[in-house]
Each structure stands twice: as structure tokens, then as C-alpha cells.
Amino acid sequence: MSHRCSYICVLKIIFLPHLILFASFLSSPAFFPSSSSLLPLPNALVQVAVIDPHKQSLVSHACTEIVEANKDPLFLTGVTFPSEYPASPDTVVKLTVYDAKDKSQESVSKLLFAFSLYVAYLHIGKSILTPFLSSSRSSDGVCAAGTIVVSRLKMGEMEEVDVDHITTDIPSQKCPLVCESAHHSCIERENSPLTGPVFRNPVCKVYRFQTVDSKWMLVREQMEECTLSFSVPKQLLSLYMQEDMNRVQDLRELGELSPHWDNLRKEVMTRYGGIISSYQETLAELDKITGRSFKPSCCKAQKSLEFIPINLHTQRMRVTCPKKTDAFYDIVTVGAPAAHFQGFKCGGLQRLLSRYEAEKKSFSTAYQCIYYSPEHTAKAQEVLSTMSLLQPLITSLADQLLQAAHEHSSPGLRDALKNLSDKTEQFVHTLKDELVKSALLALHAARPGYVSKNQKQAPAPCQQPCQGGEQNQSPVQGLPGHSPATQVAESTAVCNNVEGLQTMTAGEGGIMPLKHQTSIPHHTEFDEEEWDRLWANVAKCLNCVIAMVDKLQERDHGKPESVPEQQQLADVITSHNPGDWKEQLCPLVTRLKECVMEVMEKAKRAMTFVLLQEAACSIPQGFLLQQRRDVVFSQALSALACGFVMRVYAGLQDEGFLRQLHLVGLVAQFESLLSTYSEEIGMLEDMEVGISDLERVVFKITEAKTDDLSDLQPLVCGRRGHFTVEVPLPQVVFQTLPEEIKEGKPLRVFPVLFNVGINEQQTIAERYCIYRCLPCFQTQTDIKELLETLGQNVVTKKRKNVEILWIAGTICRRLNGIRFTSCKSAKDRTSMSVTLEQCALLRDEHQLSKDFFVRALDCMRREGCRIENVQKNIRCRKYAFNMLQLMAFPKCYRPPEGTYGKVDS
């Protein structure tokens, strides 16, 4: 009878910070006398458990990979005990060697023999572990099974020891990789004070792999959750609600409108109210959640969590090689940003927005609204945002100018005037836009009782087609809830095509063409030039202030006076009271502030009216799409903010990186493994829009008020389309940054998305790849060549061309960028990609032996951080693949036998 045996060893240790154990099993020749023995060679694996000395309970801690058919296996997977591990000097670690029947590790042989135990102590202060070795014997005392050799090490310099020289005869023989070093070439993130605010719940795995020159490298994986998974969406929800509440308030302050426009306004306000209420409920549900830092894949379609990114984690691989500087490689893994709760029956955002924009002109006709293009509505939002920022700033600077005048401070006066001039000129420039003027005229035409002069002059009923643009000829009586009689008096513009510069107004008996074929309703009773005079008055008032300040300073310094045209008013004022600067400046500054306020109120109402058209034409599709876009963007920004913080933390001591950060910015390269088939194409369409929206996000690094964790949390501010993420750093760290960053210079990120499907559905689907141009960096020759190769691969007709992903990832890392990898849930396909990338980096950058490549890949996939990620998501250590799926996978993306199966993901 052939016996498949298990061997047990117990190790009592004194825990040290970041203890790492590696094991080698040395069999006894008596147990395996020759290769022709009746006993087959074992498929060995070591399971590590910890015995709590107080509860006397056994808790599973880790497991090595399976080493097949080897009587003296050397395990490449190590076991880590981090410094915060709850252990005491009496804690006992139990190591059990199993002979696995199959690679699934779900079935191992029973204990057929009883073996003696041995105990080894790791002594504090000794850099080299010398364990007490003893042979384990069978119950009859005849057959010696073997010995487990356990070695301890820390990340740092490596001991160059040949594994083949290990023996059990000399207990003092050094075990492989047992050197500790007090010096580290890079800061371990788990020891950094910056870790706590954002990253938590680390999972660590360690391996030792052989290089091409038969040396040994130590590899450490560390996977962490990110608090931004919840904090960023919660901040965005608050900002979304505030923006929509401001929009409702602006609509209320729009003034009296004709019944048609007033009804549309009420309906739009009701829609906004529904969104605000929904977001309030979602935020309330999120506030109830405590202690969680990630959303598992099984919750991807949960309504209350739809704004939370799926399975967002960071992963760092740190490599220590003999006589080389440590290197580390970071990646962010996250489920594809998509509206899973809302579903993909009609596609994703890319398709929905395209279809909606094409249909919006007909919506504008049905609702009798003015059609504004997306560029115009974006411009209106920009004007509103700029004015809301500049107006209070101009008021504050004007007050500073008066204060400097009161103090009779020439330097203070010059500085305040310069800042006031800059901001006022920026304010005037914002208002010098044709859209503002046209919207003011359109708003005037929407007031109650407005009848254009053209309508009075056109008694005969007629209807003429639009000229010079797209036709919108729907009759006025199409407006719901309005009779033809009331519509004649109440309606203003039946249609207005801003892009085609086409206008028509409703008149008695029909639709009459306007005298001026422009983008807005024109009429002779309202002077078009009035708006130009209004904003020009702001510039004139500023010139008067400048002239007065020059006059005051010239007289103060006794310089000869020049009399330019702008100073005539200043001469009149200063002649009355030449001594008091503030008194002489005050009337001019007050007039400037009044003009700014008057202009802002008019422009604000005009832009609000533009946005009312957009919202009215959007009922109800536009509001639903905005909610979907909010959801997708929330997930995408959470991932980007996580990656940005991770990259900045890692590069704080890299002067080249910091210089690039403020001069150029960072590439954020998103790798997607979604197929272009079934619902995943909808996910990809959502993801494409979400990633594209990140182009308008900027980052700023700020100095934290204190070193408390709450003050080190990134903050989001702004509005849709213009968000800023502020990343606070402790004062000690902040002071080391370049001046440009410390002064708050906006830091840009350039998102780029590449998608190549690898699963069985992609075999059926059409080839699809999103390619966006990378920003023009001053790059080295090899990067330029890589970019050329990437471009060639993108246009090459090759199915599942994963080389696109590999080259794009390489370029990203060469450019100090941020790497992201996604699939539907960032769990299965993502795990295959991340582990493949890590092993490729070990091969290309650290000379991993080709004989160890496949074994290293299997180690990481079987026992590494990614299988732990699967466990966290679905409570099962199985990748959600079946044999049919894997047959369609590229070979390098297939998991090792026994690690996959049909599971609910």
C-alpha cells in the first residue's frame, strides 16, 4: 500500500517587526531511499497556523505553494508577520507539511503517521537564524520523514547563499536568505506616517526567486484598501447636491417669466428636486456604513453603493536584489467605473449621450425651447462659475485697496491695484462673449407681455421655413397644456438654432421670420448695445481707479503731473481734498463694485436662462443621463485620487518626479480587459466617458493644519466638469516640496484608456480598442520607439492583441505615471493581468531566471495578494473561470490548475 504522508513541525518564535519566514523541507533518505521506491514523491505544501496561548485555539495564517514531486522542496512563498500582529513571546506557530492529492488544496491526505515535534527560537539581536534541527520519525520509529528548515529575514540586503549547499547534518549551517539589514534603500509604506489617512488593511505576501546568475531576489507584495473609496463619493454627493440646489435658487431668482417659460421652469425645478432627494438618501445610507474601505464585487449592483468604486485596492511589489537598490512597482486595481445598478439594456454613456444629443433638437421643438449646443451650455456653466469666484474676489481686493489708501501705503496700494486690475480684466474678458449678449436678449423676449415689433407688423398668417440652418418647424400648438389662443400671447421663441444662427418667433396666425437672422430673438425695442455698454463701464471704472492711484502716488512723490484723458476725473476729485487718499478713492472704488455687481446679476440671469433651455430639453432623458454620469464619474475619480495619492507619497523624495509633477503632470493609464460583447460593452461605454471626464480634474497639494488623520484626508471641491482634489501633507513633508507646488499650482493628470478583451466573449465580439494620444513629453529615444510600436499595434488587425496593454503599461511606468487595471469586478481577469505584469517586470528589470518565470507566476496567482482579493470579495479562494472560458484565454492569462471554478462572483 502506498502511503501519502503529512509531516508536522511546531516553531515557537519571539516576534520581531515584519518577520518573514521561508521553509525548506529536507526529506530523509530512509523515507525516500531511491527514485524507484514504492512511495511516490510528495506534492508538498506547508500550512502555517498560529496557536493563541490564551485561548489555545488554532488559527490558519498562511500557506505556501505546492511543490510537485520533489522530496526536498524549496518553497518560494514566504510567510509574513507584520509588526502590528497581535502576538506575544509565548505565541506558537505551527507548520504542517501536507502531501497534496491535487492542486486545489481542498483535499489532502490524512495523517497516517505520528511524528515528533521540534521547537526553534528566533533570538532578538541575532542577524542569522540558527534553528535547532531534528528529524521527524514515523510512529514505529523506523522511517525518518525529514526536517523543515525555517529562515527569517527582513526586506533589505540579500545573503548570497546557494540553496544546493543546504544540509541537515550541520545545525549551524546558514539557511538561504536569512540576512537582516537595518538599512533600507527605500521607505516601506507601512512604516510611513502617510499611510494611515488613505491606505489600510494591508495584506502582505513574500517570495524568493532565482535570477539568471543563480542569485536570489526577495519579492514582497502588499495589497491595501483605500479610504477614498467612500470619502470621495460622499464628498461628490454633497457637491452635486449643492450645485443642483444653487441651480434651483438661480431659477427662482430668474424673475417673472411668461406662462410657457414659467411652467418649464417649475418642471425643471421639480426634476432637480428629485435628484437632490435621491442623493440625500444615498448619502444618508453611506453615512451609516462604518469600518469598510472597499465595496466587494458581489455588491456592484446595490443601489445604495452605486457611487462607490468596485473592489478598489492598491498593490505594490517591492524587489530586493543582491547588491542592488530596492525597487517598487505600484498599480491600482478597480472594477470598471460603470452604472451597474442602472443596467446596460440600452448601452452605456457613450452610446446614450450620442443618441441623446442627436435627438435633443427635436426635444427643443417639442418643448418649444431654444436649442443650445453642448459647447454653449458648457460655456454658460463656465461663465457662471467664473463670475461667482471673481465677483467676491474683486470686492475683497477693492476693500484692500481702500485699506492701503487709508494707511497711506504706496507699496500696499500698488500691490492691491495690480491684483484688482488682473481680476477685473479677467471678469470683463469673461463677459465679452456673444453667448451672454444673445442670452440676455432671449431672456428679455421671455418676459410676460413681450411682443416683438415684427409681430405687430405681420398681420397676415404665414409660416416660413428656417433659412441658413437646420429646420425646426413644429407648430406652437404642440406645447402640452396650452391652447393655441394662449400660446400666441405666451410663447416667445418656437425654435432657435444657435449653431445655425437661425431664429423664428411666434406671431399672430403663424410663425414669422425675424428681421435679423441670428441665434436669438431680436427686436428693435431692446437695444443690443446696452450689454456692451454695461461691461464696458466696468473697464472704464477700473481705468478711473488706476488713474486716481497714479495721481495720488505722483503727488506724494512730487513728480511732474501728466494729464492723460483717464486722469481728468482724478484731477477734479483730488483738487478738493489732496491729503486723504481713501476719501478720494472711495467714490471710484464704490462705483466699480456697483458696476461689477450690476453686470454680474444680468449675466447670471442670462446664463441661468441658457441652462434652463438645456434642462427643459433634457426632460426626462437628460436628467437620467446626468445621474448616470455622476455615478460613473464618482467611481472613476475615487480611483484616480487613490492612484494620485499613492504616486505622490512614493515620489516625495524624487526631485525629478516632483519637477515633472508641476511642470508637465502625470499620465494615468487605465488598462481595461472588458469584452465588447453583451453587457460588458455597456460597461466599457460608461468607463470611456468616466475616464474622459477625468481630463477636467486638477490636483493641488496643500499643507495640513495638523498631523491628525482627519486633516490628512484629501478634499474635493468644485462643480461638475471642474473639480479640484486637494491632497494635504504634514508640515514637515510639505516644506520639502518645490515652491511651485507649495504655492498651490494646479497639477494636471492625463487619463488614457486602452481596452483589449481577453475572455471567451471577446472571441465572438468585434475587435475594439480605445486609443487616446498621450501628452507630448520630452521623452527618451526608447520611449519614443515604444510609442511608435504602440501605435503600430493599435492599428494592427490582430485578435486579443494584449501586447497593446503591455507596451502601454511600460510607457506609463517610464513616464512616472499611474497604472490602473480593470475588468468587470477587478477580481479575476485583473488578477491574471497584475500577476503577469509583476513577473514580466521581474524578468525584464531584475533578471528573473526563465526557469522560475512560470513557477513565480503560479506562486503569485495561487497564494499571493490576488487570491486574497478574491477571498475578500466572494469568501472563496477560486477565480471565477471555467474550462471553456480558459480555452479562449491567451495562455499567459490562465490561472494555475486548482485555483479556478464556477463560483458566484
Side-chain angles (χ1 to χ4, degrees):
M1 176 181 178
S2 298
H3 295 138
R4 305 287 282 177
C5 305
S6 297
Y7 318 99
I8 302 177
C9 171
V10 174
L11 173 68
K12 183 176 180 181
I13 63 175
I14 299 175
F15 280 81
L16 298 177
H18 305 289
L19 185 65
I20 305 174
L21 304 179
F22 279 96
S24 303
F25 175 70
L26 306 176
S27 65
S28 168
F31 196 75
F32 295 106
S34 70
S35 59
S36 61
S37 171
L38 294 176
L39 290 176
L41 295 178
N43 298 328
L45 67 94
V46 178
Q47 287 189 346
V48 180
V50 179
I51 302 175
D52 189 313
H54 303 292
K55 299 180 181 179
Q56 292 299 313
S57 59
L58 193 66
V59 179
S60 178
H61 182 74
C63 187
T64 69
E65 79 278 14
I66 298 173
V67 180
E68 297 183 66
N70 194 318
K71 66 176 182 178
D72 295 324
L74 178 70
F75 299 98
L76 303 182
T77 306
V79 179
T80 63
F81 291 91
S83 56
E84 65 272 15
Y85 190 85
S88 68
D90 294 327
T91 300
V92 176
V93 177
K94 179 181 179 181
L95 287 81
T96 307
V97 182
Y98 285 103
D99 182 12
K101 288 183 177 178
D102 59 57
K103 296 182 181 181
S104 69
Q105 299 183 16
E106 294 179 348
S107 176
V108 295
S109 62
K110 296 180 180 179
L111 290 176
L112 303 178
F113 297 91
F115 296 95
S116 60
L117 306 177
Y118 87 106
V119 176
Y121 293 87
L122 303 182
H123 298 284
I124 294 178
K126 288 190 176 182
S127 62
I128 301 299
L129 166 67
T130 306
F132 298 97
L133 305 179
S134 66
S135 296
S136 300
R137 296 184 177 277
S138 60
S139 56
D140 57 11
V142 175
C143 184
T147 301
I148 300 176
V149 180
V150 180
S151 54
R152 178 197 63 172
L153 56 125
K154 291 179 69 174
M155 296 298 291
E157 297 178 4
M158 304 296 295
E159 179 77 5
E160 299 181 24
V161 179
D162 194 335
V163 178
D164 294 337
H165 295 163
I166 301 174
T167 67
T168 58
D169 300 327
I170 308 174
S172 61
Q173 173 72 35
K174 288 185 180 180
C175 297
L177 308 179
V178 293
C179 178
E180 287 188 87
S181 173
H183 303 283
H184 302 283
S185 53
C186 68
I187 300 174
E188 292 189 43
R189 195 167 78 211
E190 62 273 16
N191 289 332
S192 170
L194 294 173
T195 301
V198 177
F199 305 109
R200 59 175 56 173
N201 298 332
V203 174
C204 301
K205 298 289 182 176
V206 291
Y207 317 92
R208 54 183 176 187
F209 302 132
Q210 203 167 44
T211 62
V212 292
D213 55 357
S214 299
K215 305 298 182 183
W216 288 90
M217 71 173 77
L218 180 64
V219 178
R220 174 183 182 137
E221 286 183 309
Q222 179 158 314
M223 180 182 69
E224 291 178 290
E225 300 167 11
C226 183
T227 60
L228 302 184
S229 288
F230 281 80
S231 69
V232 166
K234 289 165 71 172
Q235 292 180 70
L236 281 175
L237 279 165
S238 297
L239 292 171
Y240 290 153
M241 288 188 293
Q242 187 60 53
E243 181 180 345
D244 290 344
M245 286 189 286
N246 291 342
R247 186 69 53 79
V248 170
Q249 184 62 29
D250 290 343
L251 289 170
R252 288 197 182 102
E253 296 173 354
L254 199 53
E256 198 175 0
L257 298 175
S258 65
H260 163 62
W261 292 113
D262 192 50
N263 289 337
L264 286 178
R265 172 169 59 179
K266 289 176 182 178
E267 186 169 358
V268 167
M269 290 170 63
T270 299
R271 293 283 181 174
Y272 276 124
I275 293 178
I276 294 168
S277 177
S278 173
Y279 286 4
Q280 285 173 336
E281 292 176 5
T282 300
L283 187 58
E285 289 298 315
L286 293 179
D287 285 336
K288 296 176 184 177
I289 300 174
T290 58
R292 285 178 60 178
S293 300
F294 89 107
K295 168 180 156 184
S297 62
C298 56
C299 299
K300 57 178 168 282
Q302 189 172 326
K303 172 71 168 70
S304 61
L305 298 177
E306 63 177 341
F307 286 84
I308 310 300
I310 302 166
N311 191 21
L312 176 60
H313 281 79
T314 65
Q315 187 156 324
R316 167 170 291 178
M317 180 178 72
R318 180 178 171 187
V319 186
T320 301
C321 291
K323 299 179 181 179
K324 288 185 180 180
T325 303
D326 282 16
F328 60 88
Y329 305 91
D330 291 339
I331 193 167
V332 178
T333 59
V334 63
H340 294 271
F341 172 77
Q342 298 179 34
F344 310 97
K345 185 177 180 180
C346 298
L349 275 172
Q350 188 185 45
R351 196 186 328 172
L352 293 171
L353 288 171
S354 177
R355 184 187 307 152
Y356 163 72
E357 196 57 44
E359 296 173 349
K360 197 164 66 173
K361 290 185 180 181
S362 63
F363 295 161
S364 66
T365 300
Y367 280 89
Q368 298 187 10
C369 306
I370 303 170
Y371 171 75
Y372 287 98
S373 68
E375 292 75 21
H376 284 102
T377 55
K379 181 64 178 179
Q381 291 173 335
E382 183 67 31
V383 171
L384 278 174
S385 177
T386 302
M387 288 191 305
S388 66
L389 291 173
L390 290 178
Q391 184 272 325
L393 191 56
I394 290 172
T395 300
S396 175
L397 290 170
D399 292 339
Q400 290 179 27
L401 184 71
L402 291 177
Q403 181 63 30
H406 177 70
E407 297 170 355
H408 216 81
S409 169
S410 291
L413 208 61
R414 286 195 302 269
D415 292 343
L417 181 62
K418 182 181 184 305
N419 293 332
L420 178 63
S421 299
D422 291 344
K423 297 305 176 185
T424 306
E425 289 172 6
Q426 186 179 346
F427 182 81
V428 171
H429 179 74
T430 300
L431 302 174
K432 291 170 63 176
D433 192 285
E434 189 66 26
L435 177 65
V436 182
K437 183 195 295 186
S438 67
L440 271 172
L441 296 173
L443 175 59
H444 183 81
R447 297 300 185 191
Y450 168 79
V451 178
S452 73
K453 186 176 180 179
N454 290 345
Q455 290 173 302
K456 296 176 182 177
Q457 295 175 347
C462 66
Q463 180 170 341
Q464 299 183 20
C466 297
Q467 301 175 13
E470 207 170 306
Q471 295 187 10
N472 276 334
Q473 302 180 17
S474 296
V476 179
Q477 56 265 32
L479 180 64
H482 289 70
S483 66
T486 59
Q487 288 166 0
V488 171
E490 296 172 4
S491 176
T492 57
V494 173
C495 68
N496 260 298
N497 187 333
V498 177
E499 290 178 326
L501 300 179
Q502 177 62 49
T503 295
M504 304 187 73
T505 57
E508 253 184 25
I511 302 174
M512 295 297 297
L514 294 176
K515 182 177 180 180
H516 303 284
Q517 296 300 306
T518 61
S519 61
I520 42 84
H522 276 64
H523 49 94
T524 57
E525 289 86 350
F526 190 83
D527 187 359
E528 290 184 26
E529 297 180 356
E530 180 179 343
W531 172 245
D532 294 333
R533 289 194 295 270
L534 282 174
W535 63 257
N537 282 341
V538 176
K540 291 177 181 178
C541 288
L542 176 63
N543 288 336
C544 288
V545 172
I546 294 172
M548 175 60 72
V549 171
D550 290 343
K551 190 77 172 176
L552 293 172
Q553 290 185 321
E554 286 173 0
R555 288 188 173 183
D556 190 56
H557 292 87
K559 295 179 180 179
E561 301 177 14
S562 60
V563 190
E565 187 176 334
Q566 294 90 344
Q567 288 189 340
Q568 292 178 358
L569 178 61
D571 289 337
V572 173
I573 297 175
T574 56
S575 64
H576 294 290
N577 190 350
D580 190 338
W581 285 8
K582 181 178 180 180
E583 184 177 341
Q584 295 173 67
L585 267 177
C586 194
L588 301 177
V589 171
T590 300
R591 180 56 185 155
L592 173 63
K593 292 195 290 186
E594 289 174 349
C595 284
V596 168
M597 181 60 71
E598 180 184 9
V599 168
M600 191 193 110
E601 289 176 353
K602 287 185 176 295
K604 183 178 179 181
R605 287 194 292 269
M607 296 299 93
T608 300
F609 189 68
V610 171
L611 298 180
L612 173 61
Q613 318 306 311
E614 164 74 13
C617 294
S618 299
I619 298 171
Q621 294 90 337
F623 284 90
L624 296 175
L625 286 178
Q626 185 60 66
Q627 286 180 277
R628 187 183 191 101
R629 198 165 189 170
D630 287 347
V631 166
V632 174
F633 178 77
S634 174
Q635 297 177 29
L637 182 60
S638 300
L640 180 65
C642 170
F644 182 88
V645 171
M646 186 184 192
R647 187 65 192 89
V648 168
Y649 283 5
L652 287 172
Q653 297 179 350
D654 185 340
E655 293 182 4
F657 166 76
L658 293 175
R659 185 170 178 272
Q660 173 191 330
L661 183 61
H662 71 81
L663 287 178
V664 183
L666 297 179
V667 171
Q669 186 245 327
F670 289 81
E671 171 187 307
S672 169
L673 301 166
L674 294 171
S675 67
T676 54
Y677 179 80
S678 187
E679 67 174 14
E680 286 201 9
I681 194 171
M683 297 177 202
L684 185 57
E685 290 169 346
D686 274 358
M687 185 177 184
E688 196 277 337
V689 174
I691 301 304
S692 177
D693 285 346
L694 295 178
E695 293 176 356
R696 293 182 290 276
V697 175
V698 297
F699 290 81
K700 288 185 180 180
I701 296 179
T702 61
E703 183 177 0
K705 297 176 182 177
T706 70
D707 290 348
D708 292 338
L709 296 184
S710 58
D711 288 332
L712 293 173
Q713 277 284 339
L715 302 175
V716 185
C717 57
R719 61 176 176 83
R720 290 180 180 94
H722 293 82
F723 284 110
T724 299
V725 181
E726 297 181 358
V727 180
L729 297 179
Q731 181 180 10
V732 176
V733 178
F734 182 79
Q735 294 303 323
T736 64
L737 299 177
E739 288 300 320
E740 293 86 349
I741 295 179
K742 290 195 291 184
E743 291 171 359
K745 181 178 180 179
L747 309 174
R748 292 199 61 191
V749 173
F750 302 90
V752 55
L753 170 63
F754 293 89
N755 182 83
V756 176
I758 63 170
N759 65 356
E760 83 288 354
Q761 290 181 331
Q762 185 62 30
T763 305
I764 306 170
E766 293 294 325
R767 178 179 175 273
Y768 181 77
C769 176
I770 299 169
Y771 173 62
R772 290 172 173 268
C773 293
L774 292 166
C776 295
F777 290 99
Q778 294 295 325
T779 61
Q780 299 173 354
T781 304
D782 60 335
I783 298 181
K784 292 180 180 179
E785 291 176 355
L786 284 170
L787 284 169
E788 292 176 1
T789 304
L790 177 63
Q792 293 168 3
N793 274 274
V794 167
V795 299
T796 299
K797 294 182 179 181
K798 179 181 178 182
R799 304 300 294 270
K800 300 182 182 178
N801 189 2
V802 291
E803 289 185 27
I804 291 173
L805 304 179
W806 302 344
I807 299 170
T810 300
I811 293 172
C812 178
R813 293 195 186 278
R814 298 281 179 87
L815 295 176
N816 293 320
I818 314 169
R819 278 278 294 113
F820 299 84
T821 296
S822 299
C823 59
K824 181 165 65 174
S825 60
K827 179 172 58 67
D828 304 306
R829 282 169 281 178
T830 294
S831 295
M832 299 302 103
S833 176
V834 169
T835 49
L836 178 61
E837 180 175 357
Q838 289 183 164
C839 287
L841 286 167
L842 295 177
R843 177 195 62 201
D844 299 337
E845 305 294 335
H846 301 280
Q847 298 183 317
L848 174 67
S849 171
K850 64 179 181 180
D851 296 332
F852 274 74
F853 184 89
V854 174
R855 192 173 169 192
L857 195 58
D858 285 352
C859 280
M860 289 181 176
R861 289 173 174 174
R862 188 182 295 278
E863 298 298 338
C865 289
R866 300 317 305 178
I867 198 68
E868 298 295 339
N869 182 271
V870 173
Q871 173 72 28
K872 288 176 67 173
N873 277 273
I874 61 173
R875 306 301 178 198
C876 176
R877 299 176 71 85
K878 292 281 188 182
Y879 298 111
F881 302 129
N882 57 46
M883 186 60 69
L884 180 62
Q885 288 176 307
L886 295 180
M887 289 175 64
F889 272 39
K891 289 184 178 180
C892 53
Y893 286 89
R894 298 174 187 175
E897 184 182 345
T899 63
Y900 57 88
K902 184 64 176 176
V903 293
D904 184 11
S905 61

